Amino acid sequence: MTLLASEYRNPLEVLIRREERTCKGCEGEFKAEAFGKTIVICTKLDAKGLRRNYGKRCKAYKEK
């Protein structure tokens, strides 16, 4: 597996760049354990009243 050119930098900068695009640490993040697996969902609702997809940072992101 080859790395992107942007990933040959300082490992801390690479980690921060990856984390900036995720919803990790958002107040809408909800973790539950079901059948031995950890499930993570977003509890925020979009304009249509549906739950947002977990994994990609949205406009409603707020840190805990």
Side-chain angles (χ1 to χ4, degrees):
M1 184 171 118
T2 60
L3 297 174
L4 299 174
S6 62
E7 294 187 356
Y8 283 105
R9 297 180 166 190
N10 180 357
L12 180 60
E13 290 178 13
V14 173
L15 179 64
I16 290 171
R17 191 173 199 176
R18 286 183 188 170
E19 292 282 322
E20 285 178 345
R21 293 180 267 160
T22 66
C23 351
K24 193 172 188 178
C26 181
E27 64 182 17
E29 178 183 53
F30 178 75
K31 292 182 182 181
E33 190 168 327
F35 304 109
K37 291 188 177 184
T38 303
I39 299 171
V40 184
I41 63 168
C42 180
T43 58
K44 298 281 184 182
L45 301 178
D46 63 4
K48 297 177 185 176
L50 301 173
R51 264 194 350 215
R52 297 184 182 271
N53 291 333
Y54 179 78
K56 189 174 182 182
R57 189 175 287 191
C58 65
K59 294 177 185 175
Y61 177 83
K62 291 183 184 171
E63 289 189 13
K64 292 181 184 177

